[in-house]
Amino acid sequence: MGIRYFALPMPAPMVNIARINPRAFLSDHHFWASWSDPPDRPEGLYLDKAWRDLQWLLGEPEPPRASYELVSGDVEMTSCGWIPFDRVLSAEQVRSVATDLTLVDLRELYQRRLPQESPDWAAIMDYRRDYVESYLEAARKFTAQLASLGLGLIYSIG
């Protein structure tokens, strides 16, 4: 199992309300059921465990890229497990993330972050980059669709 990431579209007028208590929105199945069905409502985004790689890659150099806003945050560890991290992005933030994601070159980011003299560099490039690239492409499509519809989003790492 482990810690995973998912995001859902959020109607722009609901963003500020959802920011008060994101968990209430994430767990409200009636809200999601009442908000039409795809294709009228975009599908969610699931990043599995690639969110950690995307944090690592998009968070450098300081300051982080605009697209880092899509994956920032972490769970809070407790003696009984973890508390999820939930966040809401406005339609403007989603547009900024979507625009930046079109500029992301994973190969360049990996080359910048991993020392090329490392014996595992080539293996990491082949394995991790392909894995992360598929989720990055899903994030590009998801945020582009939301941006075109003027929607915000809500996400959870947990």
Side-chain angles (χ1 to χ4, degrees):
M1 278 223 18
I3 299 168
R4 301 184 190 290
Y5 173 106
F6 73 92
L8 297 168
M10 174 63 59
M14 302 296 287
V15 164
N16 287 334
I17 297 167
R19 284 184 171 154
I20 296 168
N21 185 356
R23 179 71 17 198
F25 272 83
L26 288 167
S27 62
D28 187 348
H29 300 290
H30 297 294
F31 171 73
W32 298 110
S34 69
W35 186 30
S36 74
D37 291 318
D40 298 329
R41 180 191 73 233
E43 291 286 338
L45 172 66
Y46 177 66
L47 294 179
D48 191 39
K49 296 179 182 183
W51 65 274
R52 184 69 81 186
D53 289 74
L54 291 171
Q55 276 188 338
W56 181 67
L57 292 165
L58 301 174
E60 291 289 332
E62 287 294 327
R65 300 179 67 102
S67 53
Y68 179 74
E69 294 300 314
L70 184 64
V71 292
S72 70
D74 205 351
V75 298
E76 179 184 335
M77 299 306 291
T78 71
S79 60
C80 299
W82 62 80
I83 299 170
F85 177 85
D86 305 321
R87 186 159 182 227
V88 180
L89 300 183
S90 68
E92 294 79 23
Q93 289 172 298
V94 170
R95 269 195 302 281
S96 177
V97 167
T99 300
D100 188 50
L101 284 176
T102 65
L103 306 173
V104 170
D105 179 347
L106 277 186
R107 184 169 186 81
E108 175 189 324
L109 291 177
Y110 271 112
Q111 286 175 337
R112 196 174 327 146
R113 294 296 307 260
L114 294 170
Q116 292 185 13
E117 62 276 0
S118 165
D120 295 333
W121 187 81
I124 291 170
M125 283 298 293
D126 288 343
Y127 172 72
R128 294 304 293 179
R129 189 174 57 100
D130 289 346
Y131 170 75
V132 175
E133 183 69 48
S134 66
Y135 288 103
L136 177 62
E137 186 57 30
R140 284 182 180 128
K141 289 178 182 175
F142 178 71
T143 57
Q145 183 182 26
L146 297 188
S148 73
L149 296 170
L151 298 172
L153 66 82
I154 186 169
Y155 72 83
S156 183
I157 300 172

